[in-house]
């Protein structure tokens, strides 16, 4: 276990922590049955000394074995992230907004407390792809939407839906894989208000809360497919897109030859008011980004993990919490999944094991409910397999795409 003095030195010397902790006065206190550790903070500067509970101090209590697991050189699933560790017995005690404001700093501090292990393998850099980008106009629920799409490859059309709060750049690594683009026409699009898809002209959208709903999502995908004159495309989505894949298989099996649900489930569940920091004027987008990084696998190349979360730090603040309206509140196919006919539309579910929301168990549950579907767990991958570790992800995806090409 790292000494407190060495921990403070690591924290003080770390540029990422310094940026995340700016303005923080108080400290971090870790309490386990064996004792307490931590450090104080003075206007963003860490100092030796275990703090007492007080204003500005974030207190984490947990079992001894959890702290040992969180500070291991390569933590197991859910031990790698302070938010996910709450599923394993971690409890936080602090002002709610203070937690959200400095969660990136304390998460980085926990990472710096770990035993030094081997760095994750550097990413394989492939030749830069040259996708074609353009806008497609769609009439959706009575308004004109300009949807940005990027395409690469040829063959079977493959529509790609990004995760909540992000945009189509998550799929850029697949554009650089000729083993995919030689057989599939990849079409990645940005949801309205995300990435390069601009808001509609006409509705006074700035006066009402943004909220993503299933009917709108399904209409967008089917409308885009019709506008692009796609013949029996494949649909692949992750997170929100993974749930949407199963939604489309139920509502529109005649339009798609297959769907691939990354991090799919029958139901996620939750409440939007459990995420006050996602849309609070005193919390920056950095907290969303760091929380999402905690849902990546520590084995993934750090460069791609950081690239994945940069989209969250730079997006329009309301879209993430608004997308979660569909993800955790609306979507629920527990009573209808068994009605999906896989003789009409192929259903394939792939799940990374470092995702605390759409867990491997939930992915397997969806597979068991949908007769004829396929399922595979993806070890050492998290919530964003296509962007955090594309080479490892491709090893799981390519067999599925081969099945689709073969007409299975």
């Amino acid at each position: 276990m790292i000494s407190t003095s060495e921990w403070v030195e690591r924290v003080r010397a770390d540029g990422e922590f310094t940026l995340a902790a700016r303005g923080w006065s108080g400290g971090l206190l870790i309490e386990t049955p064996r004792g307490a550790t931590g450090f104080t903070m003075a206007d963003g500067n860490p100092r030796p000394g275990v703090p007492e509970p007080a204003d500005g101090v974030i207190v984490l209590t947990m079992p001894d074995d959890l702290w040992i697991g969180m500070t291991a050189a390569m933590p197991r699933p859910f031990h790698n992230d302070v938010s996910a560790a709450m599923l394993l017995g971690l409890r936080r005690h602090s002002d709610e907004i203070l937690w959200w404001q400095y969660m990136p700093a304390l998460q980085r501090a926990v990472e710096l407390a770990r035993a030094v292990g081997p760095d994750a393998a550097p990413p394989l850099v492939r030749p830069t792809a040259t996708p074609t980008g353009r806008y497609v106009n769609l009439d959706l629920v009575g308004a004109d939407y300009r949807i940005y799409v990027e395409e690469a490859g040829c063959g079977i059309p493959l529509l790609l839906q990004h995760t909540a709060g992000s945009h189509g750049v998550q799929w850029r690594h697949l554009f650089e894989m000729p083993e995919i683009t030689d057989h599939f026409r990849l079409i990645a699009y940005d949801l309205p208000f995300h990435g390069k898809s601009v808001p509609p002209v006409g509705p006074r959208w700035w006066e009402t809360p943004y909220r993503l709903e299933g009917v709108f999502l399904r209409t967008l995908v089917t409308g885009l497919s019709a506008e692009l004159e796609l013949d029996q495309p494949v649909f692949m989505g992750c997170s929100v897109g993974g749930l949407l894949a199963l939604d489309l298989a139920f509502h529109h099996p005649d339009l798609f030859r297959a769907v691939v649900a990354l991090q799919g489930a029958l139901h996620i569940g939750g409440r939007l008011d459990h995420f006050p920091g996602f849309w609070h004027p005193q919390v920056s987008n950095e907290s969303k980004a760091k929380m999402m990084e905690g849902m990546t696998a520590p084995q993934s190349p750090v460069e791609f993990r950081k690239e994945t979360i940069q989209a969250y730090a730079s997006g329009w603040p309301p879209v993430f919490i608004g997308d979660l309206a569909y993800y955790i509140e609306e979507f629920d196919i527990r009573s209808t999944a068994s009605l999906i006919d896989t003789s009409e539309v192929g259903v394939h579910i792939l799940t990374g094991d470092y995702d605390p929301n759409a867990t491997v168990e939930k992915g397997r549950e969806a597979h068991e409910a949908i007769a004829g579907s396929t399922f595979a767990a993806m070890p050492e991958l998290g919530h964003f397999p296509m962007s955090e570790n594309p080479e490892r992800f491709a090893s799981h995806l390519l067999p599925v795409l081969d099945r689709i090409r073969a007409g299975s």
Side-chain angles (χ1 to χ4, degrees), residues 44-114:
N45 298 305
R47 297 177 178 176
V50 178
E52 296 292 332
D55 290 346
V57 175
I58 297 174
V59 182
L60 303 181
T61 62
M62 67 189 81
D64 289 314
D65 60 346
L66 179 54
W67 180 237
I68 292 171
M70 292 179 70
T71 54
M74 190 57 69
R76 302 190 306 276
F78 312 160
H79 290 74
N80 61 305
D81 171 59
V82 292
S83 297
M86 293 181 190
L87 300 173
L88 305 175
L90 182 147
R91 296 293 178 264
R92 59 182 172 91
H93 312 275
S94 72
D95 173 77
E96 180 81 5
I97 299 306
L98 179 72
W99 160 266
W100 284 100
Q101 289 172 329
Y102 290 110
M103 186 269 293
L106 71 91
Q107 169 68 11
R108 180 57 182 160
V110 171
E111 293 169 358
L112 291 168
R114 288 176 185 154

Side-chain angles (χ1 to χ4, degrees), residues 334-373:
R334 287 175 291 185
S335 64
T336 56
S338 62
L339 302 177
I340 295 175
D341 185 355
T342 54
S343 68
E344 226 181 336
V345 55
V347 176
H348 308 279
I349 303 166
L350 297 171
T351 305
D353 66 348
Y354 273 85
D355 186 345
N357 294 326
T359 60
V360 168
E361 291 74 21
K362 288 187 177 182
R364 186 176 290 110
E365 178 187 30
H367 162 59
E368 292 172 351
I370 304 171
S373 65

Side-chain angles (χ1 to χ4, degrees), residues 207-292:
E207 295 181 348
T208 57
Y210 167 81
R211 184 181 177 92
L212 187 63
E213 296 180 342
V215 170
F216 180 85
L217 264 176
R218 295 190 296 270
T219 302
L220 187 154
V221 175
T222 57
L224 182 61
S225 179
E227 183 68 22
L228 297 177
E229 299 181 341
L230 305 182
D231 180 24
Q232 288 286 289
V234 179
F235 179 90
M236 178 161 63
C238 184
S239 184
V240 156
L243 304 189
L244 178 59
L246 302 180
D247 220 351
L248 291 169
F250 175 70
H251 287 279
H252 300 286
D254 55 319
L255 298 183
F256 300 92
R257 73 180 66 200
V259 300
V260 183
L262 308 180
Q263 310 310 122
L266 301 178
H267 180 61
I268 299 297
R271 293 171 49 182
L272 295 183
D273 58 9
H274 288 172
F275 301 93
F278 277 16
W279 181 222
H280 192 284
Q282 293 177 321
V283 179
S284 78
N285 272 1
E286 295 172 30
S287 289
K288 302 174 190 175
K290 193 62 177 178
M291 178 174 280
M292 293 303 99

